[in-house]
Amino acid sequence: MLGAVEVKMLKAAQPDRPDALTWVFLGLGLLLLPVGLYLALAAPPDVNQGYLARIMYLHVPGAWLGYLAFFVTFLYSLLYLFRQDPRYDRVALASAEIGLVFMGLALVTGMLWARPTWGVYWTWEPRLTTTAILFAVYVGYFLLRGAIEDPELRRKAAAAVGILGFINVPISYLSVKWWRSLHQTQSIDLTTGKIHMDPAMLQALLFNLFVFTLLYLGFVRFRSLLAAIEDRQEEA
Amino acid sequence: MRVPAKGWPQVAGGGRVGGVKRVFLLALRDLRLEVRDRSGLLSVLAFFAVMLFIMALALGPEEGPLRRAAPGVLWVALAFGSTLLSTRAFALEVEENTLDDLLLAPGGKEWIYFGKLLFQMLLLLPLALLSLFMAAGLFYLPLERLLSLFLTLALGVLGYASVATFYAGLLSRLRGREVLLPLLLFSLVVPVVLASVRATLGLVEGLPLGEVAPWWQLLLVFDVVYLTASALLFPLVMEG
Amino acid sequence: MLLRLQAISKRFGRDWVVRDLSFTLQRGEVVALLGPNGSGKTTLLRLMAGLLKPTRGKVERLGQALFLANPPAFHRRLTAREHLLYDLAFHGKRGDWEGALVRFGLPEDLPLLAFSSGMRKRLALARLTLLQPDIWLLDEPETALDREGRGLLLATLAEARKGAGIVLATHDRHLVEEVADRALELGAA
């Protein structure tokens, strides 16, 4: 879906303002966000966790879009390296930035949920650890971008980090998983926090996921455009 | 006007120049330069010694806790110490402005990556082995399974160096690379550190090889993935 | 044709260093690159070598290009012999390095640390002679050379042009008159 949309955007010749589709994504996303929150608050509480389970309506879409966003950065970084067209780099940059925000949201909400559930804010669970590592990779991505003045070198270096950082995901997941399994201390498994999904809960979750995706698409398009304007000012 | 008669030049294709030979020669040349300079190597060695010494003091003096902590300390020391060295491979070229001459050599550019990587390995492996012996002395590590320990060192150092060499090349023309490099590197090599620490711990605690082998496999997967990715990306980021 | 630039432009940040430049180099030709400091001579040579990519336009090379930087770049801790041998190996070539060192009057076993800038220039010329590129890109090759060195440079260029094309950036009008077939004048930035 994103692919088709982005290709269309790439073809447009240096627009100054966001196009209609960007406004549709953003407008619809912002409009539906309160609806999603209402649905989340109206959904029945979880049998075991009670109202605490509601944090997942933010947490799950945040984490999901964080990973999606970094995957998009990975793809567009590859495209940039092979085609050398700055437009691909701008989408990679935009997606990484939005991804960092969503991922941060997911990490914070996850910690808030973990404290009452597991008694700790942080645990070395594979998914958590992998997410934290990925977060650190993309913090590095932006520090690197900030440190390089030459635009072409900046794009190339960032693309390399975006690619190498993402292929690390499965390897670090596996390594952390094994690392814990051989090291049995007070083991906390994510499955202990499993939520039994009521249909109303599932609907609310899917609706929020949809809204977040709209917002992601809108923001990425908007941010790419800003990056294009920045580029033009840097060059002018 | 003048004699353009020679016909088209045999434009050097990637395969024409002996690839493997070039890689070895580049690594040996860099080693020669590094040994002639000495100061860099000696300071890294001193860094390892001081770090291991201080960690042993901080965690000691009981034998049990020291031995348990040793693999972690060893690999953290290696990771930190190696960042001091990882910029060397390309700093050699950048200080003298000779990187351009390497990039203009005919054929692909992958050989430069592999040459620099080999150079890193030739520097790091002996240093890692020395630190292992130092750790054995200071942390009461048993060295009966030296061969397996060495295999762990080799796999771990290769994983580390494959990423470090790539980033060092990428950042070679950049000021402030000494700070950025560890930052980018450490988040990527988490699996290497985890797997190496676990494998080392398993070996010194006397676990059967079957229980250590999965960590070696993980290291091997990391090494292969990052070697391939870096070698493919290196020419793309170094050109122009 | 050895080298063709098609309407290339190069920008560093906001500044255009090269604008809309087209150029062809033939085998056997020596072209002088003239212009005041900061007019983009070195940048243009690096674009021709492929060490820089043009912001716009296209660079075509039909042959091996080598770039002689000013001052030339060498590893200080190698000797002249070692440097030439490594360079030959990296380029997959063989050559009479001993003869080249004798011809350019250079000591074999002295680390380059001890070389004067004129000697480094001579070594750079010896290196190019051995590597025999198709396209010679020279940045102020005459600087730091003494009278004898200059004679060696002229002889080297005369010999090289038989099989290659040469572009040299220089401020030395005499050199231009002596060796160049034509000149490309770059304006001030």
Side-chain angles (χ1 to χ4, degrees), chain A:
Chain A
M1 171 178 172
L2 185 86
V5 169
E6 293 302 344
V7 166
K8 203 172 146 216
M9 192 202 74
L10 289 175
K11 276 181 188 155
Q14 306 221 327
D16 276 326
R17 301 171 183 289
D19 58 358
L21 202 54
T22 308
W23 287 125
V24 168
F25 283 141
L26 275 180
L28 217 56
L30 288 174
L31 215 68
L32 292 180
L33 192 61
V35 183
L37 290 179
Y38 171 79
L39 281 179
L41 291 173
D46 183 60
V47 193
N48 302 316
Q49 297 181 33
Y51 294 113
L52 186 60
R54 283 190 179 143
I55 218 162
M56 85 174 172
Y57 298 113
L58 284 180
H59 176 74
V60 174
W64 162 243
L65 279 167
Y67 271 94
L68 178 76
F70 291 149
F71 179 65
V72 169
T73 299
F74 165 74
L75 279 185
Y76 276 84
S77 299
L78 271 179
L79 276 174
Y80 173 73
L81 278 189
F82 283 102
R83 303 251 176 93
Q84 305 278 329
D85 188 332
R87 284 177 295 189
Y88 294 117
D89 174 68
R90 292 201 283 266
V91 179
L93 161 73
S95 191
E97 214 170 279
I98 316 294
L100 211 54
V101 173
F102 279 124
M103 200 73 112
L105 180 74
L107 281 171
V108 170
T109 51
M111 284 182 187
L112 290 179
W113 178 81
R115 175 70 182 151
T117 314
W118 296 334
V120 286
Y121 282 109
W122 184 257
T123 172
W124 296 102
E125 195 273 335
R127 250 182 288 184
L128 265 66
T129 312
T130 309
T131 306
I133 293 170
L134 201 61
F135 193 79
V137 166
Y138 282 92
V139 169
Y141 178 91
F142 283 105
L143 287 173
L144 181 71
R145 286 196 89 107
I148 306 180
E149 270 180 47
D150 174 42
E152 201 165 322
L153 182 60
R154 186 200 304 144
R155 293 183 199 123
K156 278 183 191 163
V161 174
I163 294 167
L164 292 185
F166 196 79
I167 52 179
N168 200 24
V169 169
I171 306 178
S172 38
Y173 180 79
L174 206 63
S175 69
V176 180
K177 198 173 156 188
W178 289 358
W179 174 66
R180 273 172 49 87
S181 70
L182 284 192
H183 190 74
Q184 288 295 341
T185 45
Q186 44 8 331
S187 157
I188 294 165
D189 196 345
L190 269 194
T191 45
T192 56
K194 199 127 196 147
I195 293 168
H196 179 72
M197 279 280 187
D198 189 278
M201 291 165 79
L202 190 64
Q203 275 167 22
L205 182 62
L206 288 178
F207 187 81
N208 272 298
L209 202 58
F210 172 69
V211 174
F212 271 56
T213 310
L214 282 181
L215 281 175
Y216 165 74
L217 288 172
F219 278 135
V220 167
R221 294 169 65 87
F222 199 81
R223 183 65 185 87
S224 307
L225 180 77
L226 283 182
I229 295 171
E230 276 170 15
D231 276 4
R232 250 179 289 158
Q233 272 183 348
E234 196 174 42
E235 289 165 5

Side-chain angles (χ1 to χ4, degrees), chain B residues 64-87:
Chain B
L66 268 183
R67 191 176 292 147
R68 264 201 71 74
V73 171
L74 176 68
W75 281 97
V76 169
L78 276 176
F80 277 91
S82 319
T83 48
L84 298 176
L85 275 181
S86 53
T87 46

Side-chain angles (χ1 to χ4, degrees), chain B residues 2-3 8-9 17 22 25-26 29 32-33 36-37 92-93 96-98 100-101 104-106 111 240, chain C residues 1 27-28 46 49 51 62 64 67 73-77 82 86 89-92 127 134 161-162 181:
Chain B
R2 237 160 287 256
V3 276
W8 289 127
V17 182
R22 277 209 283 192
L25 279 171
L26 180 59
R29 189 204 67 180
R32 193 175 234 172
L33 289 170
R36 282 183 191 171
D37 204 356
L92 284 173
E93 311 291 348
E96 310 269 23
N97 281 320
T98 43
D100 289 345
D101 288 334
L104 284 181
W111 72 281
Chain C
M1 187 208 69
R27 203 173 278 278
R46 293 172 61 85
L51 290 167
L62 288 161
Q64 172 73 24
F67 170 59
F74 293 112
H75 286 288
R76 264 173 297 171
R77 291 181 192 278
E82 286 167 341
Y86 281 124
F90 293 160
H91 285 255
R127 176 177 181 271
D134 303 294
R161 73 187 307 164
K162 286 178 197 158
D181 300 314

Side-chain angles (χ1 to χ4, degrees), chain B residues 82-83 86-87 160 163-164 166-169 171 176-186:
Chain B
S82 319
T83 48
S86 53
T87 46
Y160 182 88
V163 186
F166 176 79
Y167 275 154
L171 302 180
R177 55 180 176 271
E178 286 82 6
V179 186
L180 268 176
L181 188 82
L183 193 93
L184 294 172
L185 204 53
F186 286 159

